Amino acid sequence: MTVMLAAAAAVLFGLGTYLLLQRKLSRIIIGLGLLTHGANILMITAGKRGNPPIIGESRPEDLADPLPQALALTAIVITFGVTTLLLALAYRSWLLNGDDEVQDDVADRGIGQSEVVHDEIEDQLQVIAREEHR
Amino acid sequence: MSWLLPLPIVLPLLAAALSILAGRSKTAQRVIGVGTLGALVVVSILLLIEVERAGIVVIEAGDRPDPLGISLVADRFSAVLLLVAEITLFAVLVYAIGEPTTERNHVGFQSAYLILAAGVAASFLTGDLFNLFVAFEMMLTASYVLMTLGGRQEQVRAGMTYIIISLIASTLFVTALALLYSATHTVNMADLAVRLDELPSGVRTAFAVLLLVVFGIKAAIFPLFFWLPDSYPTAPSPITAVFAGLLTKVGVYAIVRTQLLLFTDDSRPATLLLVIAGATMVIGVLGAIAQDDIRRILSFTIVSQIGYMVMGLGFFTVAGIAAVIFSIIHHILVKTSLFLTTGLVERAGGSTKLSSVGGLVRTVPIVATLFLLSALSLAGMPPFSGFISKLALFEAGIDAQHLAIIAVAIVVSFLTLFSMLRIWTGAFWSPAEVAPPPAPVDAKRNGPTLMVLSTTFLVACSLAVALAAGPIYAFSERAAASLLDRDAYIEAVTGP
């Protein structure tokens, strides 16, 4: 059981990471959902398995460890709230740009295109062109 | 006196609820906000006095025996940071009330701000690693709302990056907690410190590095800092100020707390910390030099200054950690006042781009003075608090025989001074290169009284830190000594 849960967590982490690397915000959000589920499953795996943790139902040694479940539940609630906010932002982005692609940082682009850097890129391109010519 | 401990968390949360209920009346909201944060400054002063007397103050939430319950712990380190944070939060709230845009136009501003205050306080006071996660989330969720208030295109873009990065950090935190729990079956920090010692040293080092990555994203250390200069400058100026002053420092606090409490000498990644510190300092300051916008320059210098703090931690000596504590106090105050001054510059000059503002020293002399005092302090010029913090760090480094990193730090100091002087000459001293947009016609040219007053108050606080440097540094040394004394903390929390 633990091996299966660990494998499930691994698959979720892998898929989540892949989706995170996309540019579309909707894919990133789904990726984050998978990633956080992976973390939550890992959290569940951390506890001891056993009977439902209700005092009087079975012997204390046989009870499951309820703490990781409570921790995972807290994490799920928090992620739920933040994901909702992200979806709202993605919608806002779609309203403003007609697209949910993550935009470039304009100020950063400006510095990248300033003259000093620009000249350097020109020089590099010339070097490459010359080498290709040869 | 341990009943004081929950107040900095409970009071702002209650006030946040009250504030949203009183949404119809801006005056009522302001009374609630300023009243709560004012009361919290008093509470944190009382708490600091109590901690200075008793060493470590502990309360078990719900009176459940440790380690079942959630413990709130204040030692000298967390108490002094709490006090500085509450002072900063108070001053910035007054500034925001004085500013005619942000606070006035959003009914939820005060509530989100108070929840942020609760989250910051909870991060400093918690003695439970999972509760630290919850405190972080409280603080971050409020910060997401504050950062995207208004929903302009620029804010949405930067806000998305910020939220996604923070959410990834939180996921990593949950992962780290899951692994720690399966290895030790506890999340109480004092209990963790005891049980981690029983693990092999390789496993402990892996945990130390994992936690460093988790908190490193929040603290913006190299190579996890790239989100910060991108997202901070887009928020409204009081918000940027409080983020710049506090949020990264909460990350640094978490790094210092976990590395010192949970791990022993053989599993602390000391060399890794020093390498990261050097890279953070250099890359942060080089980024600052390339920028044109004042807010972006200042954001990059946050990254660079975080490097100094990580460097002090990397020495793992009393002197190094005392210097880190002093630097954090200094940096919260100075950085917040620099960003508040930038807000005033934007009002007076119509922009924060160095290429389009200029000559402000003649039009707004008070703002120029406030900026110069903070900027020189940040760059580490004597006799300001930045000089004392850097001197302490350098001395600690020389004592610990880490000369290479000290050489890097000294070079970075000069580059920081250069970047500050660029702002000074660009925005204040020289005439504007491009004709500035017409500045808002104001009766008071320096800016609304409340904005100027609260900025002046924070600058005065940072000057007071420089004046009282002796006692504050002595206090930092006591705090560092008690941070390095893990057994005292463990005994105070779990009982003898």
Side-chain angles (χ1 to χ4, degrees), chain B residues 323-363:
Chain B
V324 173
I325 298 172
F326 193 89
S327 305
I328 298 178
I329 298 172
H330 143 78
H331 192 248
I332 291 179
L333 293 171
V334 166
K335 203 59 175 202
T336 314
S337 24
L338 276 172
F339 272 99
L340 292 184
T341 333
T342 311
L344 292 171
V345 167
E346 192 175 21
R347 277 188 66 75
S351 165
T352 53
K353 288 212 179 305
L354 290 182
S355 46
S356 47
V357 289
L360 290 178
V361 72
R362 279 170 290 279
T363 51

Side-chain angles (χ1 to χ4, degrees), chain A:
Chain A
M1 190 64 187
T2 311
V3 175
M4 269 177 65
L5 281 175
V11 170
L12 285 172
F13 267 101
L15 291 176
T17 312
Y18 174 73
L19 282 175
L20 264 185
L21 301 177
Q22 310 285 313
R23 275 211 90 129
K24 293 266 185 212
L25 200 58
S26 44
R27 294 189 186 184
I28 295 178
I29 295 173
I30 295 172
L32 276 173
L34 295 181
L35 206 63
T36 47
H37 283 328
N40 291 333
I41 286 185
L42 198 66
M43 182 64 97
I44 298 285
T45 324
K48 189 174 70 120
R49 288 192 301 125
N51 295 330
I54 303 169
I55 295 174
E57 297 264 304
S58 55
R59 286 182 304 143
E61 308 85 84
D62 299 337
L63 297 183
D65 186 352
L67 190 63
Q69 301 174 15
L71 300 185
L73 193 62
T74 316
I76 289 171
V77 174
I78 290 172
T79 325
F80 167 72
V82 178
T83 311
T84 320
L85 182 70
L86 259 181
L87 282 170
L89 272 184
Y91 179 66
R92 178 87 191 175
S93 170
W94 180 74
L95 281 183
L96 288 169
N97 306 319
D99 196 351
D100 70 339
E101 211 161 86
V102 179
Q103 304 287 306
D104 277 332
D105 185 353
V106 185
D108 225 27
R109 199 49 91 65
I111 286 155
Q113 283 172 348
S114 72
E115 274 173 17
V116 183
V117 184
H118 202 72
D119 289 353
E120 271 176 22
I121 295 173
E122 291 272 271
D123 290 352
Q124 291 281 330
L125 285 176
Q126 279 178 4
V127 171
I128 293 168
R130 238 177 284 144
E131 277 178 2
E132 274 178 2
H133 191 70
R134 252 182 253 157

Side-chain angles (χ1 to χ4, degrees), chain B residues 191-433:
Chain B
D191 211 22
L192 261 178
V194 177
R195 298 204 197 171
L196 271 175
D197 283 354
E198 293 155 14
L199 297 178
S201 102
V203 177
R204 278 183 284 147
T205 308
F207 277 131
V209 175
L210 188 56
L211 287 176
L212 183 65
V213 171
V214 168
F215 299 128
I217 297 180
K218 320 248 181 202
I221 59 175
F222 177 84
L224 309 166
F225 68 89
F226 51 85
W227 56 271
L228 188 146
D230 182 33
S231 54
Y232 276 17
T234 60
S237 53
I239 306 298
T240 316
V242 82
F243 284 10
L246 289 180
L247 296 198
T248 44
K249 255 56 75 184
V250 176
V252 174
Y253 166 84
I255 292 178
V256 173
R257 172 69 73 201
T258 48
Q259 297 294 332
L260 290 182
L261 178 63
L262 301 185
F263 303 103
T264 46
D265 260 338
D266 60 332
S267 54
R268 285 175 188 150
T271 315
L272 177 68
L273 277 172
L274 288 178
V275 171
I276 288 175
T280 312
M281 281 190 275
V282 173
I283 293 186
V285 84
L286 290 182
I289 287 172
Q291 302 294 321
D292 180 46
D293 186 302
I294 300 179
R295 289 217 176 102
R296 293 180 70 94
I297 297 178
L298 292 177
S299 299
F300 270 103
T301 52
I302 300 177
V303 176
S304 163
Q305 301 293 315
I306 296 288
Y308 282 97
M309 296 169 202
V310 176
M311 173 181 85
L313 174 67
F315 301 148
F316 288 112
T317 57
V318 174
I321 289 155
V324 173
I325 298 172
F326 193 89
S327 305
I328 298 178
I329 298 172
H330 143 78
H331 192 248
I332 291 179
L333 293 171
V334 166
K335 203 59 175 202
T336 314
S337 24
L338 276 172
F339 272 99
L340 292 184
T341 333
T342 311
L344 292 171
V345 167
E346 192 175 21
R347 277 188 66 75
S351 165
T352 53
K353 288 212 179 305
L354 290 182
S355 46
S356 47
V357 289
L360 290 178
V361 72
R362 279 170 290 279
T363 51
V364 283
I366 298 180
V367 178
T369 316
L370 291 174
F371 178 84
L372 189 64
L373 289 176
S374 320
L376 289 179
S377 180
L378 184 84
M381 296 298 282
F384 298 104
S385 52
F387 171 70
I388 299 154
S389 85
K390 291 209 169 112
L391 189 68
L393 280 170
F394 294 164
E395 268 190 7
I398 291 166
D399 284 347
Q401 302 287 320
H402 289 297
L403 296 181
I405 189 84
I406 295 299
V408 173
I410 291 174
V411 172
V412 171
S413 276
F414 283 114
L415 291 175
T416 314
L417 181 63
F418 173 65
S419 72
M420 288 297 116
L421 287 181
R422 266 190 72 226
I423 303 183
W424 173 253
T425 49
F428 293 95
W429 204 245
S430 71
E433 288 169 28

Side-chain angles (χ1 to χ4, degrees), chain B residues 63-148:
Chain B
D63 212 14
R64 290 187 179 277
D66 192 81
L68 282 179
I70 292 172
S71 40
L72 297 177
V73 189
D75 61 357
R76 290 191 176 91
F77 181 40
S78 47
V80 72
L81 287 193
L82 183 70
L83 175 62
V84 179
E86 299 292 1
I87 290 175
T88 313
L89 284 162
F90 177 77
V92 174
L93 184 64
V94 174
Y95 180 96
I97 289 173
E99 197 190 36
T101 47
T102 323
E103 192 256 1
R104 208 158 292 176
N105 297 340
H106 299 283
V107 79
F109 175 87
Q110 296 265 358
S111 292
Y113 192 81
L114 286 166
I115 292 173
L116 182 85
V120 171
S123 316
F124 288 148
L125 292 180
T126 184
D128 183 287
L129 207 55
F130 191 77
N131 205 20
L132 183 64
F133 166 71
V134 176
F136 264 148
E137 288 309 305
M138 206 148 76
M139 176 179 93
L140 289 173
T141 313
S143 76
Y144 303 153
V145 175
L146 288 172
M147 176 166 276
T148 51

